Amino acid sequence: MTESTSTRLTAASHESQNDPMVRAEQVRKSFGRLEVLKGVDLTIGRGEVVCMVGPSGSGKSTFLRCINHLERVDGGRLWVDGQVVGYEQRGNKLHELADKEICKRRGQIGMVFQHFNLFPHMTVLENLIEAPRLALKQPKADVTLRALSLLEQVGLADKRSAYPRHLSGGQQQRVAIARALCMQPKLMLFDEPTSALDPELVGDVLAVMRDLASSGMTMAVVTHEMSFAREVADRVVFFDAGQVVEEGPASQVINDPQHERTRAFLRAVR
């Protein structure tokens, strides 16, 4: 390798690390005649925690699903870690990836939904180790050690042999977070992870998410928990009618919003 080639590769690597983890440019998405995303521009930096807030139907959850290519965008472009989501560029044209490659890239992004989606016929430990063993072909012993460590982190080490039906909603959601982390993702997406929980169970789940945020994990969180967003988020993004209406530091957007629509929403949820 020549010196000039080495220099170019080093520069390219440095540039990649400085790129945002997520970059969206004029992202659009429709379901039939209903346009849900109307040209969303947004970036999420590496190690940044971004909370997305807004009324139901504003497009925030759809945008989250587009990041993971659970929904295909109809316009604009979306990148994760420098790669176009769902496609690869050859020359001046985009070509949709094969399902196998899409699944491989999706495996690098953890996603936690409103409902826990645990496998009911598997124990807690089996839920954690299944995907890394099958999708990543990792040795069972290594994956099991990682899974047990994650269960310790989320306060459920004693539930390793339990089945989901024997757990509370909050415990199931903490297992779902640990399961996503067991894949060693570079990005975590949370789609209203506490909305299906009884109020007294919300705190334990948010505590796990706080610890994850403090560890430096890049996180995009759709939430109505304003106190969590104020405390944990680096930025808050307010969605309304398929567009980003306002974004900025959490304290600014929540305590001193500049847009009247943002102010009206925050008055309603406080």
Side-chain angles (χ1 to χ4, degrees):
M1 181 185 297
T2 66
E3 182 177 352
S4 60
T5 302
S6 176
T7 301
R8 286 197 303 271
L9 290 175
T10 301
S13 175
H14 180 71
E15 181 180 353
S16 174
Q17 289 303 308
N18 288 334
D19 284 346
M21 179 62 76
V22 177
R23 179 160 60 101
E25 292 183 357
Q26 287 297 296
V27 169
R28 296 181 176 274
K29 176 64 184 178
S30 297
F31 296 100
R33 295 183 179 180
L34 177 63
E35 190 175 22
V36 179
L37 298 176
K38 303 174 182 177
V40 172
D41 293 315
L42 184 64
T43 61
I44 301 174
R46 297 171 188 272
E48 187 177 27
V49 178
V50 173
C51 283
M52 304 175 192
V53 303
S56 297
S58 59
K60 54 194 187 297
S61 291
T62 297
F63 180 70
L64 211 64
R65 292 173 64 84
C66 287
I67 292 175
N68 212 11
H69 202 56
L70 293 174
E71 301 290 352
R72 288 177 170 83
V73 301
D74 296 323
R77 259 197 217 173
L78 187 55
W79 291 262
V80 171
D81 198 18
Q83 296 180 313
V84 181
V85 173
Y87 299 86
E88 64 176 348
Q89 188 157 348
R90 302 175 200 157
N92 294 324
K93 293 185 178 181
L94 286 178
H95 297 265
E96 188 165 11
L97 296 171
D99 288 344
K100 182 177 180 180
E101 182 62 26
I102 289 173
C103 289
K104 180 180 177 182
R105 291 192 185 183
R106 190 178 288 143
Q108 299 173 342
I109 303 173
M111 189 159 185
V112 178
F113 300 88
Q114 297 178 34
H115 300 285
F116 326 118
N117 298 327
L118 300 177
F119 299 120
H121 62 289
M122 293 184 179
T123 65
V124 165
L125 182 60
E126 289 168 343
N127 264 278
L128 265 66
I129 69 175
E130 182 76 358
R133 287 182 59 213
L134 296 182
L136 303 182
K137 309 299 183 185
Q138 294 180 344
K140 182 178 180 179
D142 294 346
V143 176
T144 299
L145 285 175
R146 184 163 71 245
L148 291 174
S149 176
L150 287 166
L151 288 175
E152 183 75 34
Q153 289 178 39
V154 301
L156 293 172
D158 61 330
K159 301 295 184 182
R160 57 179 289 183
S161 299
Y163 286 89
R165 64 181 178 275
H166 298 139
L167 304 179
S168 70
Q171 289 172 331
Q172 289 188 59
Q173 193 62 295
R174 283 184 280 157
V175 172
I177 294 172
R179 181 176 64 175
L181 291 173
C182 208
M183 289 288 286
Q184 299 177 299
K186 55 190 173 185
L187 168 66
M188 283 289 290
L189 310 176
F190 295 87
D191 187 8
E192 299 192 39
T194 60
S195 65
L197 301 179
D198 292 334
E200 65 268 23
L201 302 177
V202 168
D204 289 340
V205 174
L206 293 182
V208 170
M209 294 173 65
R210 287 188 188 93
D211 290 343
L212 185 58
S214 66
S215 75
M217 173 65 73
T218 308
M219 296 168 57
V221 185
V222 172
T223 184
H224 289 295
E225 300 285 345
M226 291 301 116
S227 59
F228 172 82
R230 184 187 291 107
E231 176 187 351
V232 176
D234 297 299
R235 277 188 300 134
V236 167
V237 180
F238 175 65
F239 275 73
D240 189 46
Q243 297 177 310
V244 173
V245 173
E246 184 169 352
E247 65 174 299
S251 58
Q252 175 190 310
V253 173
I254 294 174
N255 298 329
D256 186 26
Q258 302 302 299
H259 197 283
E260 175 53 35
R261 183 66 188 91
T262 314
R263 290 194 289 269
F265 171 77
L266 291 173
R267 284 195 299 268
V269 299
R270 281 171 179 163

